[in-house]
């Protein structure tokens, strides 16, 4: 998957986790928590959905990499480069 | 004569919030009961297949955001809807209520089955690898979940918990609220019960295996307590929570009062896992009457528990005849014939359906009584059509459950 495809996949996951929020104005470089009402259980949902959908395993020490869209995509790109878009 | 208590010890109902398969507020629910409208429809659930059930269609987004609905449970959502509706109905100045003085007491028949079944169903896709098991499972399945979700949604910081009391739970929630108000543990109580049970296939499969699940080609006729052709329980979801206050507080704020909890009792059969024990049920009713200071002949309406099982209905009738001596008084009815068995919500909902009788002088019926079972003959049974009943002063509400748990609540007109 390309960086753009990974971003699209993360947005799709976020739309399920934060169904009341408008994600169209999400800024890639700003932390999710500054733009969305997300708590630790929501971040665990992101980890779980990536595991379920793409079998990507994210160790706990890497969770801080999921703080913004930009950092999330950068972190996932090498892990998901050989995964086909769904 | 009813026991005399100072107003600060008299506990009254000042708000009702409910969702039933045939109504999402007391007015609509009552109207359905008076016009014979069933809430039982066709239903299908995984593994078990087609059956019938009572399903609710309240607007879950009236008081919750989509995210709250997603994160929580159906029982929590039903609880939130009922609690919010009850508070709104009570007319209390909620914004200025000290939330630490509010207690939440929610009766449940069971909790956690729905979420556990869902998780197992989902990890099946992953070859039962538990790393795909949701981190939401524990907060969704802890036994206090339905009450806790109300606390979170409404910012209530007083005590909250559920009461696991099988199908006696709706009454148990009310009784707990009364007791906590009398103990001074809270100044306002939300008490009653909820049920999400139609979302677990296990409850249908288990009743079916027990030979106790209702079936009928017309869903509206499937729930038929006291009828010779009854063949079991219709499982339903629903909820009903009451705002309970001390009469002194209710009067001070000029609140509308639906009725006073003048008596209650709970006891145990200590007899069998599933078979009820009429002697203990009768003892429970008599204890509630004694605590209220009432004679059996002073009761105007008995809201029966009967679920439509072959033996259970007969057992309750034996108990009722012991207590009320088989005379024509009081009138007796059964709300399950309309809505099925709302499990943890049943006792609270069935009481609610009768409360308007204090005002409108009508007793709703038991429907689907086409061929009354002689073994279930009750002199006061209101069959198929509501009856005029002027000057209703006392309603006795039965609610019994598995493992032999019995509960009775008596409400008086204020």
């Amino acid at each position: 998957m390309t960086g753009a495809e990974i971003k699209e996949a993360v947005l799709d996951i976020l739309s399920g986790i934060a169904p009341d929020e408008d994600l169209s104005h999400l800024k890639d470089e700003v932390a999710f928590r500054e733009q969305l009402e997300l708590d630790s259980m929501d971040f665990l949902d992101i980890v779980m959905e990536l595991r379920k959908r793409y079998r990507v395993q994210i160790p706990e020490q890497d969770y801080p990499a999921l703080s913004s869209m930009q950092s999330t995509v950068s972190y996932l790109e090498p892990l998901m480069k050989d995964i086909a878009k769904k | 004569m009813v026991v005399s208590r100072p107003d600060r010890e008299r506990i009254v109902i000042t708000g009702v919030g409910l969702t039933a398969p045939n109504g999402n507020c007391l007015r609509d629910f009552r109207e359905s009961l008076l016009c014979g409208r069933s809430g039982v429809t066709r239903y299908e659930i995984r593994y078990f297949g087609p059956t019938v059930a009572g399903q609710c269609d309240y607007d879950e987004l009236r008081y919750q955001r989509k995210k709250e609905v997603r994160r929580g449970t159906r029982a929590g959502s039903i609880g939130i809807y009922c609690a919010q509706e009850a508070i709104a109905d009570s007319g209390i100045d909620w914004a200025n209520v000290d939330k630490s003085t509010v207690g939440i007491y929610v009766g449940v028949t069971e909790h956690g089955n729905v979420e556990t079944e869902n998780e197992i169903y989902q990890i099946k896709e992953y070859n039962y690898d538990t790393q795909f098991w949701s981190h939401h499972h524990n907060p969704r399945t802890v036994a206090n979940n339905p009450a806790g979700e109300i606390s979170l949604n409404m910012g209530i910081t007083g005590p909250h918990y559920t009461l696991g009391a099988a199908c006696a739970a709706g009454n148990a929630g009310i009784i707990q609220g009364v007791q906590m108000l009398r103990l001074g543990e809270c100044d306002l109580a939300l008490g009653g019960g909820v049920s999400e049970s139609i979302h677990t296939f296990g409850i249908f499969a288990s009743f079916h295996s027990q030979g106790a699940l209702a079936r009928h080609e017309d869903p509206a006729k499937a729930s038929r307590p006291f009828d010779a052709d009854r063949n079991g329980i219709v499982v339903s979801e629903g909820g009903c929570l009451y705002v309970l206050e001390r009469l002194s507080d209710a009067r001070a704020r000029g609140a509308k009062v639906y009725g006073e909890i003048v008596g209650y009792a709970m006891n145990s059969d200590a007899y069998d896992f599933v078979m009820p024990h009429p002697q203990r049920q009768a003892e429970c009713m008599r204890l509630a009457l004694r605590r209220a200071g009432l004679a059996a002949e002073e009761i105007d309406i008995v809201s029966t528990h009967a679920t439509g099982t072959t033996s259970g209905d007969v057992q309750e009738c034996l108990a009722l005849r012991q207590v009320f001596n088989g005379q024509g008084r009081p009138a007796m009815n059964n709300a399950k014939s309309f809505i099925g068995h709302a499990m943890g919500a049943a006792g609270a909902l069935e009481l609610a359906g009768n409360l308007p009788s204090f005002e409108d002088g009508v007793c709703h019926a038991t429907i689907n009584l086409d061929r009354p079972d002689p073994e279930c003959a009750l002199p006061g049974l209101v069959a198929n059509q509501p009856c005029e009943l002027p000057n209703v002063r006392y309603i006795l509400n039965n609610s019994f459950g598995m493992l032999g748990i019995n509960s009775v609540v008596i409400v008086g007109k204020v």
Side-chain angles (χ1 to χ4, degrees):
Chain A
M1 288 172 73
T2 66
E5 288 167 344
I6 292 169
K7 179 180 170 182
E8 197 182 318
V10 173
L11 273 175
D12 189 57
I13 290 170
L14 280 175
S15 68
I17 295 168
D20 306 286
E21 312 246 17
D22 177 9
L23 301 177
S24 62
H25 305 297
L26 202 64
K27 293 190 178 95
D28 289 359
E29 66 285 4
V30 178
F32 289 133
R33 273 191 172 172
E34 288 176 30
Q35 307 176 80
L36 305 171
E37 216 176 292
L38 295 181
D39 60 23
S40 59
M41 294 290 270
D42 295 318
F43 279 92
L44 289 172
D45 271 326
I46 299 174
V47 172
M48 178 64 83
E49 286 304 310
L50 287 167
R51 186 183 298 148
K52 281 183 170 176
R53 297 182 191 192
Y54 304 103
R55 298 295 195 274
V56 174
Q57 293 288 8
I58 303 174
E60 198 173 339
Q61 65 267 23
D62 292 349
Y63 288 177
L66 305 179
S67 63
S68 71
M69 181 63 83
Q70 195 173 64
S71 64
T72 302
V73 173
S74 302
Y75 172 78
L76 290 174
E77 265 185 311
L79 298 176
M80 297 178 71
K81 63 179 169 33
D82 297 327
I83 296 172
K85 184 188 171 191
K86 288 191 178 174
Chain B
M1 278 294 285
V2 72
V3 168
S4 172
R5 296 174 183 274
D7 283 2
R8 69 179 181 281
E9 290 179 18
R10 295 175 64 185
I11 309 303
V12 294
I13 296 169
T14 57
V16 183
L18 66 81
T19 177
N22 61 357
N24 295 316
C25 64
L26 180 56
R27 192 195 58 207
D28 293 354
F29 180 43
R30 176 70 174 176
E31 188 188 319
S32 292
L33 294 176
L34 293 186
C35 75
R37 188 183 304 127
S38 167
V40 179
T41 54
R42 292 186 197 288
Y43 183 68
E44 188 157 352
I45 187 163
R46 81 163 73 98
Y47 302 140
F48 189 76
T51 182
V52 294
Q55 303 168 72
C56 295
D57 64 356
Y58 71 96
D59 178 8
E60 55 187 6
L61 295 180
R62 182 178 292 179
Y63 301 112
Q64 289 183 284
R65 292 178 304 148
K66 288 178 191 166
K67 181 173 176 171
E68 285 177 279
V69 173
R70 174 187 172 272
R71 183 174 279 195
T73 65
R74 180 69 170 174
S77 175
I78 289 171
I80 288 165
Y81 178 84
C82 294
Q84 290 271 14
E85 290 277 300
I87 289 293
D89 182 54
S90 75
I92 201 162
D93 179 12
W94 182 242
N96 289 311
V97 169
D98 177 354
K99 307 301 187 294
S100 69
T101 66
V102 180
I104 307 167
Y105 311 104
V106 181
V108 291
T109 288
E110 49 80 31
H111 184 75
N113 286 317
V114 174
E115 303 303 328
T116 304
E117 285 180 8
N118 284 345
E119 285 303 317
I120 291 172
Y121 179 74
Q122 285 177 33
I123 66 164
K124 183 182 167 199
E125 249 185 86
Y126 305 98
N127 199 27
Y128 297 105
D129 183 342
T130 56
Q131 69 171 324
F132 295 97
W133 191 270
S134 173
H135 47 286
H136 293 295
H137 180 256
N138 288 347
R140 283 174 181 155
T141 59
V142 285
N144 63 314
N145 168 282
E149 287 201 37
I150 296 169
S151 153
L152 289 169
N153 178 270
M154 300 180 72
I156 295 169
T157 58
H160 84 259
Y161 46 89
T162 53
L163 296 101
C167 301
N171 270 356
I174 298 168
I175 292 167
Q176 186 76 12
V178 172
Q179 292 171 330
M180 291 299 112
L181 282 160
R182 287 209 178 121
L183 284 172
E185 294 290 320
C186 61
D187 292 327
L188 186 143
L190 284 161
V194 300
S195 173
E196 62 177 13
S197 293
I198 66 163
H199 302 282
T200 154
F201 69 84
I203 201 161
F204 291 93
S206 183
F207 277 137
H208 180 67
S209 297
Q210 195 190 334
L213 188 72
R215 60 204 178 277
H216 198 288
E217 58 190 24
D218 178 356
K221 292 189 177 304
S223 186
R224 40 195 321 114
F226 308 129
D227 188 79
D229 297 322
R230 68 190 183 280
N231 54 25
I233 291 169
V234 170
V235 185
S236 299
E237 65 174 351
C240 179
L241 293 174
Y242 294 99
V243 172
L244 302 169
E245 293 179 79
R246 300 179 189 98
L247 180 59
S248 48
D249 293 338
R251 284 200 166 134
R253 70 178 184 88
K256 167 185 64 187
V257 173
Y258 285 94
E260 175 185 0
I261 315 294
V262 295
Y264 63 80
M266 292 190 73
N267 73 353
S268 305
D269 291 346
Y271 173 68
D272 189 75
F273 277 73
V274 293
M275 275 294 286
H277 193 310
Q279 184 61 33
R280 299 289 170 268
Q281 293 178 347
E283 286 168 9
C284 195
M285 285 184 258
R286 286 191 179 117
L287 179 57
L289 286 164
R290 192 161 68 242
R291 284 176 174 164
L294 292 170
E297 54 268 25
E298 290 180 88
I299 298 296
D300 299 291
I301 295 174
V302 173
S303 169
T304 65
H305 168 78
T307 63
T309 61
T310 313
S311 58
D313 292 14
V314 174
Q315 306 297 314
E316 186 180 6
C317 290
L318 288 170
L320 288 167
R321 286 189 212 108
Q322 280 186 41
V323 175
F324 296 99
N325 301 319
Q327 292 161 14
R329 184 178 170 82
M332 299 191 188
N333 64 14
N334 182 286
K336 289 187 182 77
S337 59
F338 298 80
I339 62 171
H341 190 345
M343 302 284 145
L349 267 177
E350 291 161 14
L351 173 63
N354 279 297
L355 284 180
S357 300
F358 289 134
E359 296 297 320
D360 61 22
V362 178
C363 179
H364 79 68
T366 301
I367 58 169
N368 295 327
L369 206 55
D370 300 329
R371 271 200 331 128
D373 181 351
E375 281 198 271
C376 297
L378 293 169
L381 196 57
V382 183
N384 300 315
Q385 293 295 327
C387 70
E388 299 282 329
L389 203 65
N391 195 27
V392 174
R393 293 178 62 220
Y394 296 106
I395 298 166
L396 183 146
N397 189 53
N398 278 344
S399 215
F400 309 131
M402 283 187 176
L403 282 299
I405 182 167
N406 305 313
S407 67
V408 175
V409 166
I410 303 174
V411 180
K413 184 176 184 177
V414 175

